Amino acid sequence: MQHRTVADVMTHHVVTVRPDTPFKEVAHLLAAYDVTAVPVVDARDRPVGVVSEGDLLRKPASLPDPGGGPRGRRPGRGSARRRRPRTRAP
C-alpha cells in the first residue's frame, strides 16, 4: 500500500504576506485565493508566522480601522459560505 505524502496534497503556489501587510489586504488575499491562512514572511522570504481568517476575526472590533473603514465587520467576501474542511484518508 502506497501512502500519500504532504507533497501530494500541499499548495504549490503559496501566497505570502509581510508583517506590515494591512488586515484588509490579507482578507482580500484569503478570499481571492480561497485559502483560510497565509504564511507571513520577512524581507528575505523566511517564514515568521501564519495569519488565518480566525486571527482576523479576533481583531478587537472596538479598535478603529487605520484606513477609516467601518468597525466590527467581518473581512472577506460579502456572501461567503462556509466550506467543510477537506480531508484526505491515509
Side-chain angles (χ1 to χ4, degrees), residues 13-71:
H13 176 72
V14 179
V15 178
T16 61
V17 296
R18 304 272 186 208
D20 60 345
T21 304
F23 274 51
K24 286 183 181 184
E25 186 175 337
V26 174
H28 170 75
L29 289 169
L30 294 176
Y33 288 92
D34 196 25
V35 294
T36 58
V38 291
V40 180
V41 297
D42 65 14
R44 292 184 175 173
D45 287 331
R46 294 180 300 198
V48 295
V50 175
V51 64
S52 69
E53 287 179 340
D55 295 328
L56 297 179
L57 293 173
R58 284 189 284 278
K59 174 186 174 186
S62 61
L63 294 177
D65 182 345
R71 294 184 292 167

Side-chain angles (χ1 to χ4, degrees), residues 67-90:
R71 294 184 292 167
R73 294 189 56 179
R74 181 179 177 193
R77 293 175 252 187
S79 60
R81 65 182 193 278
R82 280 297 219 184
R83 291 186 179 183
R84 297 184 74 189
R86 293 181 185 167
T87 59
R88 304 260 186 205

